[in-house]
């Protein structure tokens, strides 16, 4: 069904082929009938193994035939325990045969692991070698990669030795997403960040990795494999869970989180040492998960409030201050990405220089533009704000397939800058977000803090993304 | 969701060599219009010749084949072209009396993949009560493991595809209480990768087909908030290639079936606008076989019913004219699903 070219044939050729196929179909039918007859009679013997083998070696996706082989092996080894090792070995060889025909057969891979799990003396190291061999033939076969990770664990191979294998693969061919992927799984085990669990690897290792990956990426800038790895190293800006914002008025309390949470399930407790602790938080949207949660009631506006959130034995705090007789508000600016140390930043600056040099020769190079923008954000997202926007606007043109993504990315970065300025100024009453070419409003969980929000003149804005407008007391103009 | 992987490419290179002597007309222009009539006939006539070689050799996934056929005919508004009675009879015969599970066809063993296909067909025909639903529920329940994962059948293969099948079956038959949903969610979440994607089991490489299963799973269990959508949706939108087609992993060839796995996942996360829908439409239509109807994986290849459904499914998500709306989570007509179960969809 995959990758089969449609070819034009003469009438005779077609007729000949039809005849050949009719014979094959008949042979298959007969074979299957025999197999099911034997199975129903519980004749689990060599004959049944042979018959099922004939069909499986041509079509290894017929799960039921693998099941029948397992039934045979179980029955035959129960009747004659001495035959076990011969039978297991024979089926190991048989699956190898099938995998040569069809290296992506779920059935054949699974049968292999079933044999090993059930055999008295499985040789897991042999399996690792087999994977090494198969990955030479096709270095992207994910069935084989996944099987390798499974047998490597069974063989108790260290992360170091797997890293060595993976590194050799990358050195041989940079263009291999599967190896870079494995690398991103192994490094956090080998070089964890000593203090920050949200960071995958230590700063020292990060610096080394950045050097390696940029060389690889520049070797063939149009191959995406290394660029994905680079982006992983720089970190994605999906926020970690924290308290975001709080607003209490006489009739309503609103609490917001940096990401969607399900307060009924996610084992999050909120304490404020006020009457709010007895009330029930309801999600703004009515959905099970939301970033904004509301309590209605009659509340007294008296003192500042310290809000504490407990999640997985970690405590997060947010200070909310009484700003007038009508409201108590608190806001905590999120981190918009990792804050790297000086040594890493130095390396990032070098890489930015290299990217910019490359852009002089190839101004439309998509991956270089994107990486340069991400590097600038990692070095100092606000100092480079205008420049990063310029690059992303350019990406909308040179990588037009993903124009929608870049529009949203620009909108996100614009809002981050606005939020930062808002928090620094301490003025939350009126928020002006007009004429910014926004396509979507990120950071809803901070915006309800304002009384008047101006979103006029953003012609491409998806209004559905402005959920905060549903919060009572929040006046939004589009 | 029985899907066979993308790239038999390497293996099929040999095939092409065998065909070297045969002529391939390279100059033929690719289709730019979707003539629905011919494709309706293509799907409706599929399996008319029971002795046909292809048909015989694919009997091990027959139940899924019927699901692909009924769904795409219904989306095209021509479900009447198939014989409801004989299909329901066929399904009844495939339910295992002992386990309650459903097999791909007569004499074959029950499996969760074909159990879901059967349930999907029965929903389309509004005929769930034709089979033993409680027995099927028990079957699904029996396949859940201590870590929350699911076996595909009693032989112990674990895969996130089966987690999807389990919750989809239980949602469509209103029996979700039979399993430990929280544990099932924890297992699926243990398969998240550093790149934001999902593989078939913990530590397995990200793959668009399996991402669909996991995103679909989280949509059915209302746990989409557990996703890092920005990261995952970016990885997915990078699947679109110059031709407009989508691949399943970085640096692979485009394939019509990935139009579905990728676009449905993006739709569930509210990010369908992160790819170029018009270009994708062009690519899918270029894979139409204008002589026989039906879609193939890539332009100029042989069409099949699997790619025909996923091509049409993606066209429906893109709002193609005269197609019924398809539900991105269940890959079934929206009008059917909306009567049975409300899955979670993010708006942006
Ligand atoms: Zn395909």
């Amino acid at each position: 069904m995959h990758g089969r070219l449609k070819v034009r044939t003469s009438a005779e050729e077609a007729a000949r082929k039809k005849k050949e196929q009719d014979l094959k179909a008949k042979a298959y039918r007969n074979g299957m009938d025999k197999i099911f007859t034997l199975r129903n009679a519980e004749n689990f013997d060599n004959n049944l193994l042979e018959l099922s083998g004939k069909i499986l070696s041509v079509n290894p996706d017929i799960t039921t035939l693998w099941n029948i082989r397992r039934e045979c092996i179980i029955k035959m080894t129960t009747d004659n325990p001495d035959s076990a090792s011969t039978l297991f070995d024979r089926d190991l060889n048989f699956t190898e045969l099938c995998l040569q025909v069809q290296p992506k057969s779920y059935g054949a891979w699974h049968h292999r692991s079933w044999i090993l799990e059930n055999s008295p003396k499985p040789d897991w190291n042999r399996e690792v070698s087999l994977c090494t061999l198969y990955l030479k033939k096709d270095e992207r076969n994910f069935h084989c990669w996944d099987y390798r990770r499974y047998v490597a664990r069974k063989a108790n191979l260290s992360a170091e030795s797997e890293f060595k294998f993976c590194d050799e693969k990358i050195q041989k061919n940079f263009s291999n997403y599967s190896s870079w992927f494995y690398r991103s799984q192994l490094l956090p085990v080998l070089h964890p960040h000593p203090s920050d669990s949200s960071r995958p690897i230590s700063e020292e290792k990060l610096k080394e990795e950045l050097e390696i990956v940029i060389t690889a990426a520049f070797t063939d800038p149009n191959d995406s494999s290394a660029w994905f790895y680079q982006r992983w190293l720089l970190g994605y800006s999906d926020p970690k869970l924290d308290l975001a914002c709080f607003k209490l008025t006489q009739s309503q309390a609103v609490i917001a989180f940096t990401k969607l949470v399900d307060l009924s399930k996610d084992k999050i407790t909120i304490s404020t040492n006020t009457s709010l602790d007895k009330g029930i938080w309801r999600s703004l949207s009515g959905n099970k998960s939301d970033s904004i949660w509301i309590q209605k009631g009659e509340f007294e506006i008296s003192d500042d409030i310290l809000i504490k959130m407990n999640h997985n034995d970690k405590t997060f705090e947010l200070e909310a201050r009484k700003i007038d007789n009508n409201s108590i508000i608190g806001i905590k600016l999120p981190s918009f990405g990792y804050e790297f140390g000086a040594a890493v930043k130095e390396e990032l600056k070098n890489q930015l220089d290299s990217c910019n040099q490359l852009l002089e020769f190839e101004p439309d190079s998509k991956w270089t533009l994107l990486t340069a923008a991400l590097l600038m954000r990692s070095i100092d997202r606000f100092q480079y704000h205008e420049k990063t926007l310029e690059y992303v606007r350019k990406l909308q043109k040179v990588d037009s397939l993903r124009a929608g993504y870049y529009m949203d990315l620009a909108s996100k970065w614009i809002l981050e800058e606005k939020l930062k300025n808002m928090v620094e100024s301490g003025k939350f009453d009126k928020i002006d977000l007009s004429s910014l070419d926004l396509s979507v409003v990120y950071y809803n969980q901070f915006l309800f803090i304002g009384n008047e929000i101006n979103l006029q003149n953003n012609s491409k804005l998806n209004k559905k993304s402005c959920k905060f407008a549903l919060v009572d007391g929040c006046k939004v103009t589009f | 969701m029985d899907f066979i992987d993308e790239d038999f490419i390497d293996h099929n290179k040999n095939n092409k060599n065998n065909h070297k002597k045969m002529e391939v007309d390279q100059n033929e222009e690719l289709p730019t219009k979707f003539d629905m009539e011919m494709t309706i006939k293509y799907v409706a006539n599929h399996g008319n010749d029971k002795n046909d070689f292809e048909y015989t050799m694919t009997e091990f996934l027959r139940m899924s084949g019927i699901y692909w056929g009924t769904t795409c005919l219904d989306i095209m508004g021509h479900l009447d072209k198939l014989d409801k009675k004989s299909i329901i009879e066929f399904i009844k015969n495939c339910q295992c009396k002992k386990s309650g599970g459903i097999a791909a066809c007569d004499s074959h063993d029950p499996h969760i993949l074909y159990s879901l296909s059967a349930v999907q067909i029965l929903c389309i025909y509004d005929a769930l009560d034709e089979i033993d639903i409680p027995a099927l529920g028990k079957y699904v329940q029996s396949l859940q493991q201590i870590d929350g994962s699911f076996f595909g059948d009693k032989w112990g293969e674990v895969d996130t595809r089966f987690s999807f099948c389990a919750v989809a079956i239980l949602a469509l038959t209103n029996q979700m209480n039979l399993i430990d949903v929280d544990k099932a969610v924890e297992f699926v979440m243990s398969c998240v990768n550093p790149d934001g994607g999902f593989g078939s089991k913990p530590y397995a490489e990200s793959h668009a087909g399996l991402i669909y299963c996991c995103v679909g799973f989280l949509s059915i269990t209302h746990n989409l908030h557990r996703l890092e959508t920005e990261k995952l949706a970016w990885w997915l939108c990078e699947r679109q290639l110059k031709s407009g087609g989508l691949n399943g992993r970085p640096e692979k060839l485009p394939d019509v079936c990935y139009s579905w796995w990728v676009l449905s996942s993006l739709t569930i996360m509210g990010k369908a606008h992160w790819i170029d829908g018009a270009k994708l439409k062009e690519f899918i239509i270029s894979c139409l076989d204008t002589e026989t109807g039906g879609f193939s994986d890539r332009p100029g290849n042989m069409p099949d019913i699997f790619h025909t459904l996923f091509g049409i499914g993606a066209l429906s998500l893109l709002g193609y004219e005269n197609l019924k709306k398809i539900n991105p989570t269940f890959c079934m007509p929206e009008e059917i699903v909306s009567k049975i179960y409300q899955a979670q969809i993010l708006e942006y």
Side-chain angles (χ1 to χ4, degrees):
Chain A
M1 308 222 288
H2 280 91
R4 269 195 347 207
L5 207 62
K6 179 160 174 163
V7 285
R8 294 185 190 291
T9 47
S10 63
E12 300 104 85
E13 178 85 347
R16 191 191 59 74
K17 202 175 168 200
K18 171 94 173 73
K19 226 173 167 182
E20 195 184 291
Q21 287 190 332
D22 284 349
L23 284 175
K24 275 193 200 160
K26 225 177 182 173
Y28 167 82
R29 247 307 38 95
N30 287 338
M32 290 300 276
D33 287 347
K34 261 189 220 158
I35 288 170
F36 287 130
T37 310
L38 288 171
R39 183 197 211 187
N40 290 336
E42 297 185 25
N43 277 334
F44 295 111
D45 56 12
N46 274 319
N47 185 27
L48 189 48
L49 279 175
E50 202 169 300
L51 286 168
S52 63
K54 262 190 198 150
I55 297 180
L56 277 174
S57 58
V58 188
N59 192 344
D61 288 322
I62 306 173
T63 315
T64 303
L65 293 183
W66 290 113
N67 299 345
I68 292 173
R69 285 189 89 78
R70 290 188 275 266
E71 286 168 356
C72 285
I73 292 172
I74 290 171
K75 182 72 174 39
M76 290 161 83
T77 52
T78 315
D79 290 352
N80 178 10
D82 293 342
S83 68
S85 70
T86 323
L87 283 169
F88 284 133
D89 281 349
R90 191 165 72 181
D91 256 40
L92 275 186
N93 291 335
F94 177 65
T95 54
E96 249 183 272
L97 207 81
C98 294
L99 288 170
Q100 276 162 20
V101 180
Q102 230 279 45
K104 306 246 163 117
S105 163
Y106 282 99
W109 285 108
H110 175 245
H111 189 62
R112 208 170 166 85
S113 61
W114 183 86
I115 296 277
L116 290 156
E117 295 283 359
N118 285 280
S119 89
K121 277 193 231 144
D123 183 352
W124 296 107
N125 284 305
R126 177 173 174 247
E127 296 309 292
V128 177
S129 313
L130 184 90
C131 291
T132 305
L133 186 74
Y134 276 35
L135 289 173
K136 256 184 208 149
K137 290 186 203 159
D138 176 1
E139 48 184 24
R140 291 300 307 282
N141 181 343
F142 71 88
H143 293 265
C144 191
W145 277 105
D146 295 348
Y147 185 73
R148 182 186 179 96
R149 283 181 271 265
Y150 153 69
V151 294
R153 267 198 310 282
K154 288 284 187 181
N156 279 321
L157 293 192
S158 63
E160 281 87 358
S161 77
E162 278 301 272
F163 184 81
K164 200 168 152 265
F165 168 77
C166 182
D167 194 45
E168 279 165 15
K169 277 249 157 281
I170 292 174
Q171 297 306 333
K172 259 191 216 120
N173 181 9
F174 286 143
S175 168
N176 183 347
Y177 184 85
S178 301
S179 322
W180 290 107
F181 171 83
Y182 197 13
R183 195 180 181 95
S184 71
Q185 285 182 325
L186 291 166
L187 275 180
V189 179
L190 292 168
H191 304 277
H193 196 283
S195 54
D196 184 352
S197 64
S198 72
R199 298 274 296 275
I201 56 173
S202 71
E203 287 260 318
E204 297 76 42
K205 197 64 201 172
L206 174 61
K207 187 166 177 286
E208 279 175 42
E209 290 298 300
L210 283 166
E211 288 165 17
I212 293 168
V213 76
I214 202 77
T215 314
F218 282 151
T219 306
D220 179 3
N222 291 320
D223 184 281
S224 64
S225 313
W227 293 116
F228 275 100
Y229 185 73
Q230 162 95 1
R231 185 150 194 194
W232 173 73
L233 288 173
L234 294 178
Y236 300 84
S237 55
D238 285 89
K240 298 283 166 257
L241 177 66
D242 201 344
L243 289 162
C245 199
F246 175 83
K247 185 173 184 178
L248 180 70
T249 57
Q250 279 150 355
S251 59
Q252 135 183 304
V254 189
I255 189 160
F257 306 87
T258 49
K259 51 194 292 176
L260 299 174
V261 295
D262 178 349
L263 285 185
S264 68
K265 272 261 174 69
D266 286 347
K267 296 188 183 113
I268 293 172
T269 51
I270 303 292
S271 59
T272 59
N273 278 329
T274 70
S275 64
L276 287 172
D277 295 354
K278 290 192 202 92
I280 294 168
W281 295 103
R282 294 185 197 283
S283 71
L284 173 66
S285 58
N287 297 333
K288 279 192 195 172
S289 59
D290 205 330
S291 61
I292 302 175
W293 293 74
I294 312 256
Q295 238 188 78
K296 295 276 184 189
E298 277 178 36
F299 304 109
E300 212 181 308
I301 305 298
S302 49
D303 304 316
D304 295 353
I305 300 177
L306 180 65
I307 301 130
K308 287 188 182 173
M309 169 176 78
N310 202 285
H311 177 65
N312 285 344
D313 296 329
K314 263 201 238 165
T315 306
F316 304 81
E317 291 184 351
L318 173 64
E319 286 174 44
R321 301 200 180 284
K322 180 178 173 185
I323 52 161
D324 53 36
N325 287 333
N326 297 317
S327 48
I328 297 175
I329 63 171
I331 187 165
K332 190 158 141 190
L333 200 62
S335 69
F336 298 118
Y338 300 150
E339 208 38 65
F340 296 110
V344 167
K345 273 197 183 167
E346 214 38 57
E347 175 58 27
L348 297 178
K349 280 180 194 158
N350 291 338
Q351 301 203 349
L352 179 59
D353 287 343
S354 311
C355 284
N356 284 332
Q357 278 167 27
L358 191 68
L359 285 172
E360 276 176 33
F361 298 101
E362 288 178 55
D364 291 348
S365 165
K366 171 243 173 107
W367 286 104
T368 320
L369 278 167
L370 177 60
T371 304
L374 295 170
L375 285 167
M376 287 188 274
R377 304 257 328 152
S378 300
I379 297 164
D380 188 333
R381 59 187 57 84
F382 296 119
Q383 187 203 320
Y384 288 108
H385 183 65
E386 292 304 324
K387 193 81 184 161
T388 54
L389 285 186
E390 182 194 318
Y391 280 23
V392 175
R393 299 284 184 219
K394 176 139 198 203
L395 279 162
Q396 279 178 44
K397 293 197 188 80
V398 302
D399 189 21
S400 61
L401 291 173
R402 280 160 281 275
Y405 167 67
Y406 298 118
M407 280 282 285
D408 286 2
L409 191 61
S411 304
K412 186 178 185 184
W413 290 352
I414 289 168
L415 220 58
E416 290 181 358
E417 213 240 357
K418 289 280 167 202
L419 271 181
K420 179 194 145 249
N421 293 341
M422 181 176 90
V423 172
E424 278 175 4
S425 74
K427 290 198 185 96
F428 307 110
D429 188 30
K430 288 182 182 165
I431 304 174
D432 183 9
L433 300 173
S434 61
S435 309
L436 291 171
D437 211 7
L438 298 176
S439 56
V440 58
V441 169
Y442 282 88
Y443 301 107
N444 269 263
Q445 57 270 63
F446 296 93
L447 295 175
F448 67 82
I449 200 168
N451 295 329
E452 287 174 39
I453 295 98
N454 183 358
L455 274 162
Q456 284 171 318
N457 205 10
N458 289 293
S459 61
K460 291 175 195 126
L461 180 64
N462 174 2
K463 292 196 183 95
K464 277 187 189 163
S465 71
C466 306
K467 292 277 188 257
F468 71 96
L470 298 171
V471 175
D472 285 341
C474 207
K475 215 180 111 210
V476 185
T477 41
F478 290 108
Chain B
M1 275 307 121
D2 192 350
F3 60 88
I4 303 122
D5 177 45
E6 57 188 282
D7 36 31
F8 295 173
I9 306 161
D10 301 332
H11 147 66
N12 276 284
K13 263 180 203 153
N14 308 328
N15 260 356
K16 275 181 206 158
N17 291 340
N18 293 343
H19 292 153
K20 234 182 216 162
K21 57 178 185 215
M22 299 179 196
E23 192 198 347
V24 187
D25 194 347
Q26 298 279 0
N27 297 324
E28 202 176 359
E29 277 203 13
L30 295 172
T32 52
K33 252 189 69 201
F34 173 29
D35 172 10
M36 217 186 290
E37 285 315 305
M38 203 187 283
T39 296
I40 291 167
K41 269 191 211 131
Y42 171 81
V43 180
N45 294 337
H46 179 80
N48 274 359
D49 177 7
K50 298 274 180 271
N51 294 319
D52 175 66
F53 175 69
E54 287 301 328
Y55 189 77
T56 306
M57 296 313 286
T58 51
E59 69 165 12
F60 71 92
L61 47 71
R62 180 74 64 245
M63 192 64 76
S64 293
I66 298 173
Y67 154 69
W68 300 328
T70 45
T71 306
C72 64
L73 280 176
D74 199 5
I75 294 293
M76 292 188 287
H78 279 276
L79 189 57
D80 57 315
K81 293 276 190 292
L82 294 176
D83 181 24
K84 171 177 173 177
K85 231 176 116 190
S86 65
I87 288 176
I88 289 173
E89 234 12 75
F90 173 82
I91 297 175
K92 284 166 90 165
N93 275 327
C94 289
Q95 185 167 30
C96 170
K97 301 258 166 348
K98 245 184 5 211
S99 67
I102 298 170
C105 66
D106 189 36
S107 302
H108 284 237
D109 294 347
H111 196 285
I112 201 164
L113 288 169
Y114 309 113
S115 300
L116 173 58
S117 293
V119 166
Q120 288 170 309
I121 302 163
L122 291 171
C123 285
I124 289 174
Y125 282 128
D126 192 16
L128 273 175
D129 50 3
E130 296 279 354
I131 59 161
D132 187 343
I133 292 293
L136 177 62
K138 278 210 184 94
Y139 176 70
V140 173
Q141 183 183 42
S142 74
L143 295 173
Q144 190 172 32
Q145 305 305 301
I146 301 171
D147 65 357
S149 68
F150 284 85
F151 286 175
D153 60 15
K154 65 174 182 176
W155 294 102
E157 189 182 3
V158 167
D159 195 301
T160 44
R161 287 179 300 156
F162 310 148
S163 296
F164 174 82
C165 292
V167 297
I169 292 170
L170 297 179
L172 292 171
T173 59
N174 193 21
Q175 306 183 90
M176 199 66 105
N177 56 336
L178 289 179
I179 56 158
D180 188 332
V181 176
D182 290 345
K183 272 195 169 174
V185 174
E186 288 321 311
F187 174 75
V188 167
M189 290 311 294
S190 74
C191 301
V192 188
N193 285 317
D195 58 18
F198 292 82
S200 62
K201 43 180 89 64
Y203 308 106
E205 185 176 336
S206 302
H207 176 292
L210 298 158
I211 289 172
Y212 163 77
C213 290
C214 294
V215 171
F217 171 95
L218 295 170
S219 159
I220 293 172
T221 59
H222 286 256
N223 275 285
L224 289 174
H225 66 290
R226 303 284 301 267
L227 285 173
E228 293 193 66
T229 49
E230 297 285 306
K231 192 193 223 183
L232 176 53
W234 176 65
W235 191 92
L236 285 170
C237 78
E238 282 293 338
R239 299 302 102 244
Q240 191 166 34
L241 305 170
K242 283 216 171 66
S243 62
L246 304 165
N247 62 15
R249 294 187 289 152
E251 303 302 322
K252 287 282 183 185
L253 294 174
D255 175 337
V256 160
C257 64
Y258 287 97
S259 310
W260 176 262
W261 314 122
V262 174
L263 184 60
S264 62
S265 304
L266 285 171
T267 305
I268 293 169
M269 294 190 286
K271 308 282 190 207
H273 63 290
W274 282 12
I275 61 165
D276 187 331
K279 292 276 287 185
L280 175 59
K281 213 180 285 180
E282 266 173 42
F283 175 81
I284 296 172
I285 291 173
S286 76
C287 296
L288 182 69
D289 189 317
T290 48
E291 290 167 345
T292 60
F295 292 85
S296 57
D297 57 348
R298 276 187 274 286
N301 281 352
M302 295 283 281
D304 61 65
I305 198 141
F306 171 85
H307 288 95
T308 303
L309 169 63
F310 293 119
I312 288 174
L315 288 176
S316 164
L317 285 181
L318 292 167
Y320 198 85
E321 58 194 25
N322 297 330
L323 292 178
K324 285 191 198 170
K325 244 184 109 188
I326 197 163
N327 179 285
T329 305
F330 289 97
C331 193
M332 291 160 63
E334 184 66 60
E335 61 185 25
I336 305 276
V337 178
S338 63
K339 278 186 242 156
I340 305 175
Y341 189 82
Q342 195 64 48
Q344 186 188 10
I345 304 286
L346 299 179
E347 277 182 309
Y348 66 96

